[in-house]
Each structure stands twice: as structure tokens, then as C-alpha cells.
């Protein structure tokens, strides 16, 4: 099966106001038509995208064209534009077409995919939403009649067809149809209704742009999943001549005692990441009872946590680590520690903070019995 999306955008869009036709106006920092193209581009079953443009607009489309996207000139009416596009793909490998209004930029890739699937079982399919408001006929500013809304739908695009029958239907149609479903039905083609989407509105009036901007902002908001986690760890001083902190061996008159290399700061950070994922802590993934982790470099733990982040569809966006000790002095090593942690997490060092504080000689850290560390990590969905 080879599917082409025919995006009709040759109109002048006068009702929408603005200095340029509505399909070239900006919506959320991108032209309306660029958004529309992106929705189809995201669907892998769409093999080809044909933009049908006004002759005056061909220059505006340069940035949208590519291996899967080309532009042709439309006709004087919408039907003539659709005909041009159908004739363009006729005789190629294309056997299914999606005909879409360029002024519906918020169509979702999921809806496009559903329509393509619907063609497996029907010669044509189109999205629509049931009418829920009461319907009136008005006359001279007054309600002249109320109409039953049973079985009524609000039609949307893309409308999906097998190519040969819709091409024949368009060639035979006298013109004046509201959309391609009307053309198809005039030729006796049965059209299945697929549930449409409220967000898939057609930008017609200036106020529609405001609604589309709000929908877009809400979508972006819903898509971003931000998680934070915290971690805390303590290790006791013991014999030795260096302490491992954030992956750096800091020369000191003692070492830290632990099952692994006892890198208390890296443990706190690793637990912060597991915490953001709600996946327990280091002890759950690397049980202390398991001899294979004896003396292990703690980078093994941090790397595992970061791999889990990627597997869950997130990225680490920043980390902040605080060590609590009187000695050794952390400041001279902080830059190296940031570099080391950033390398292990595969993020840039400006997203990693390493700092330290004393506890004013109070408590176990103040008595220099050990080092405590705390960390925060933030994850953002990809
Ligand atoms: Mg630990």
C-alpha cells in the first residue's frame, strides 16, 4: 500500500484576517502549514505529501519541501485543487490518498493513522464528531425552528479514499461539493465515519487562532513529564589515604568504609535518580549481600541508574550534589567532580552542581566521624 497525503492550502483565507493567508500565519512560532505538514510527516505510513498551493505562494513553501514533500499549483476552486493533486499522483505507486485542509494544523498523527487503517475495511473513511449542541434555524434574528440533531455529525479532514474511485468520482463531479465525501457519495462510494478530534479545528476566523494557541500550549504542557528525586547517604571514615567523592580520588589521611568504593556523594546522586523514577535505591539494584559489588567503582551504579532513565523515556536535565564534612576541602576538586559526574551521565557539566558545607563542628560530620551527602536530580520526559 502506498499512501499520499494531499494537503489543500491554495485558498486566500480572507475571513481569518491577517496580512498573509491563514495557512502562512504563525501558530506557536511555526506557520500553520508547517504544523500541518509535520503531523503527516510523523506518520510512517504516509509515503508522500503533496502540498497544493496558490501560484503566488510557491516561494513560501521552500522550507517545507523534502524527499517526502512536494508542492504543486492549485486550481481556482478547492475541488479543482484536489483534482490537480489526484491527477498528480495518478499513475504512480500511490493507491490511497488522504485529502486534508491545510488550515487544520492540530490534526494528530494518531488520527491520521486511524484513517489509513480504516481503508483496510472500507473504500473511504472520514473523521467527524457528533453534534451535541441544539440546532436552530434562524430568521431575521429570531429562532424560526428547532431541528433534530440525531445522527448529525460535524465533518473534519483528513478524508481518506482509495485513489482510483475518488479520482473517477472527481472527474465525473459537476462541482460545487462542500468536501470530498460529498464527491465520493455522489459516485456511490460508501464512507465510514471515524471518530474525529475536538482539537482538529479548522482555522477560519481570527479567534480560532487564539483557541488553537491555547490547545497547543495545553498539549505541550501535557506532554512534558518532569520528575525530581532526592538521595541521602553517609559513610564512616576508616583507614586509608584517600576518599572517593563524585568519582574523584581525593587524597586524605583516612578513607571511607563501604561495600563498594564508598563514594558517598555518587551514591546520594544515584539514589536521587532512582527516586525520581520511583525505582527504589542502590541497595535494591545492587544488593550488598552480592559479593560481585565488593570494591566496585560507584560509576557502575550511576551508569545503571542513567540507563534506567533512558529506558523509561526520560533524560537527566540536572543534578545537584552537596557533601557535608569538615574535611577534606571539596572546593579545589569540585570542577573535576562535575566533569566526572557529567561524563558518566552523558550530560554537559553546566547541568551538574557539586558543592559542600561543614556542619559547624556539630554532630557526626562535625566530629569528623564520616561524610554525609545529599543530592537532587531532575528528569524530563523525551
Ligand atoms: Mg552508600
Amino acid at each position: 500500500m502506498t499512501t499520499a497525503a494531499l494537503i489543500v492550502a491554495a485558498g486566500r483565507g480572507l475571513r481569518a484576517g491577517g496580512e498573509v493567508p491563514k495557512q502562512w500565519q504563525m501558530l506557536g512560532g511555526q506557520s500553520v502549514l508547517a504544523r500541518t505538514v509535520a503531523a503527516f510527516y510523523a506518520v510512517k505510513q504516509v509515503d508522500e505529501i503533496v502540498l497544493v498551493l496558490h501560484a503566488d505562494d510557491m516561494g513560501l513553501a521552500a522550507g517545507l519541501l523534502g524527499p517526502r514533500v512536494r508542492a504543486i499549483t492549485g486550481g481556482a476552486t478547492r475541488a479543482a485543487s484536489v483534482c490537480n493533486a489526484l491527477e498528480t499522483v495518478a499513475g504512480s505507486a500511490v493507491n490511497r490518498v488522504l485529502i486534508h485542509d491545510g488550515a487544520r494544523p492540530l490534526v494528530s498523527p494518531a488520527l491520521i493513522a486511524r484513517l489509513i487503517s480504516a481503508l483496510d475495511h472500507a473504500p473511504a473513511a472520514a473523521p467527524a464528531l457528533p453534534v451535541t449542541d441544539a440546532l436552530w434555524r434562524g430568521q431575521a434574528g429570531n429562532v424560526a425552528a428547532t431541528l433534530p440533531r440525531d445522527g448529525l455529525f460535524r465533518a473534519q479532514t483528513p478524508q481518506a479514499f482509495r485513489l482510483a474511485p475518488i479520482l473517477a468520482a472527481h472527474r465525473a463531479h459537476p462541482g460545487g461539493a462542500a468536501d470530498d465525501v460529498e464527491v465520493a457519495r455522489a459516485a456511490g462510494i460508501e464512507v465510514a465515519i471515524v471518530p474525529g478530534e475536538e482539537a482538529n479545528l479548522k482555522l477560519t476566523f481570527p479567534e480560532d487562532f487564539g483557541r488553537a494557541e491555547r490547545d497547543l500550549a495545553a498539549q505541550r504542557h501535557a506532554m512534558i513529564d518532569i520528575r525530581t528525586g532526592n538521595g541521602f547517604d553517609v559513610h564512616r571514615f576508616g583507614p586509608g589515604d584517600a576518599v572517593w567523592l563524585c568519582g574523584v580520588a581525593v587524597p586524605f589521611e583516612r578513607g571511607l568504609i563501604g561495600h563498594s568504593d564508598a563514594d558517598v556523594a555518587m551514591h546520594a546522586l544515584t539514589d536521587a535518580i532512582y527516586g525520581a523514577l520511583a525505582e527504589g535505591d542502590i541497595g535494591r539494584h545492587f544488593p550488598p549481600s552480592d559479593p560481585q559489588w565488593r570494591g566496585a567503582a560507584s560509576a557502575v551504579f550511576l551508569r545503571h541508574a542513567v540507563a534506567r532513565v533512558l529506558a523509561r523515556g526520560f533524560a537527566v536535565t540536572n543534578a545537584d550534589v552537596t557533601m557535608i564534612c569538615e574535611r577534606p576541602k571539596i572546593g579545589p576538586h569540585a570542577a573535576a567532580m562535575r566533569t566526572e559526574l557529567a561524563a558518566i551521565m552523558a550530560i554537559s557539566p553546566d547541568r551538574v552542581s557539586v558543592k559542600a558545607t561543614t556542619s559547624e563542628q556539630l554532630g557526626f560530620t562535625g566530629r569528623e566521624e564520616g561524610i554525609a551527602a545529599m543530592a537532587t536530580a531532575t528528569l524530563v520526559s523525551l
Side-chain angles (χ1 to χ4, degrees), residues 2-62:
T2 301
T3 302
L6 314 180
I7 300 177
V8 188
R12 300 289 82 192
L14 300 176
R15 285 176 294 176
E19 308 220 313
V20 292
K22 59 185 176 182
Q23 61 271 32
W24 300 108
Q25 290 182 31
M26 289 292 151
L27 182 66
Q30 230 185 343
S31 77
V32 167
L33 193 56
R35 286 199 173 277
T36 308
V37 169
F40 284 86
Y41 207 85
V43 180
K44 66 175 189 309
Q45 300 98 307
V46 174
D47 302 288
E48 189 184 351
I49 299 170
V50 178
L51 301 178
V52 191
L53 305 178
H54 193 277
D56 295 349
D57 296 346
M58 295 304 275
L60 296 173

Side-chain angles (χ1 to χ4, degrees), residues 337-361:
M337 291 173 174
R338 290 175 65 198
T339 303
E340 188 63 24
L341 293 179
I344 294 168
M345 292 189 286
I347 62 177
S348 72
D350 67 358
R351 293 174 180 272
V352 182
S353 159
V354 169
K355 56 197 195 300
T357 183
T358 70
S359 55
E360 299 288 337
Q361 298 173 333

Side-chain angles (χ1 to χ4, degrees), residues 185-272:
R185 294 197 68 256
I189 301 169
E190 198 160 281
V191 182
I193 298 175
V194 169
E197 295 172 338
E198 273 306 334
N200 182 22
L201 81 165
K202 185 174 183 178
L203 300 175
T204 307
F205 301 108
E207 57 269 28
D208 294 337
F209 278 80
R211 196 191 133 191
E213 292 271 8
R214 286 192 298 278
D215 283 354
L216 212 53
Q219 274 179 20
R220 282 200 190 122
H221 220 76
M223 277 162 45
I224 298 176
D225 188 350
I226 299 173
R227 312 233 176 151
T228 59
N230 66 69
F232 179 77
D233 197 22
V234 173
H235 280 260
R236 182 190 291 273
F237 281 126
D241 55 10
V243 289
W244 282 96
L245 294 170
C246 298
V248 173
V250 177
F252 193 51
E253 69 218 34
R254 283 177 286 177
L256 287 171
I257 302 170
H259 191 71
S260 62
D261 64 10
D263 189 333
V264 60
M266 204 180 291
H267 293 180
L269 175 57
T270 304
D271 275 350

Side-chain angles (χ1 to χ4, degrees), residues 78-329:
R78 184 185 184 283
S81 290
V82 171
C83 265
N84 281 4
L86 290 170
E87 299 287 358
T88 296
V89 294
S92 71
V94 170
N95 51 14
R96 295 176 167 196
V97 289
L98 299 160
I99 304 174
H100 186 64
D101 293 325
R104 292 186 188 268
L106 300 190
V107 59
S108 75
L111 176 59
I112 296 167
R114 281 205 300 279
L115 285 156
I116 295 172
S117 302
L119 288 183
D120 291 343
H121 314 287
L129 290 168
V131 171
T132 51
D133 293 327
L135 291 177
W136 301 333
R137 188 185 311 285
Q139 207 166 22
N142 294 316
V143 177
T146 56
L147 304 174
R149 65 181 176 220
D150 304 339
L152 291 185
F153 286 83
R154 293 182 283 139
Q156 298 185 337
T157 71
Q159 298 177 349
F161 306 93
R162 293 180 190 160
L163 176 60
I166 192 65
L167 177 61
H170 261 282
R171 283 174 177 164
H173 198 271
D179 62 8
D180 303 290
V181 164
E182 188 175 336
V183 172
R185 294 197 68 256
I189 301 169
E190 198 160 281
V191 182
I193 298 175
V194 169
E197 295 172 338
E198 273 306 334
N200 182 22
L201 81 165
K202 185 174 183 178
L203 300 175
T204 307
F205 301 108
E207 57 269 28
D208 294 337
F209 278 80
R211 196 191 133 191
E213 292 271 8
R214 286 192 298 278
D215 283 354
L216 212 53
Q219 274 179 20
R220 282 200 190 122
H221 220 76
M223 277 162 45
I224 298 176
D225 188 350
I226 299 173
R227 312 233 176 151
T228 59
N230 66 69
F232 179 77
D233 197 22
V234 173
H235 280 260
R236 182 190 291 273
F237 281 126
D241 55 10
V243 289
W244 282 96
L245 294 170
C246 298
V248 173
V250 177
F252 193 51
E253 69 218 34
R254 283 177 286 177
L256 287 171
I257 302 170
H259 191 71
S260 62
D261 64 10
D263 189 333
V264 60
M266 204 180 291
H267 293 180
L269 175 57
T270 304
D271 275 350
I273 294 172
Y274 286 135
L277 292 170
E279 289 196 10
D281 57 17
I282 294 177
R284 177 174 136 193
H285 297 277
F286 300 92
S289 54
D290 189 337
Q292 69 171 307
W293 310 122
R294 183 165 299 143
S298 296
V300 171
F301 311 147
L302 183 55
R303 266 192 214 102
H304 176 267
V306 172
R308 288 299 309 148
V309 169
L310 295 176
R312 290 274 302 272
F314 287 85
V316 178
T317 56
N318 85 297
D320 184 17
V321 180
T322 301
M323 284 159 273
I324 303 152
C325 57
E326 304 295 323
R327 291 186 307 141
K329 288 283 166 242

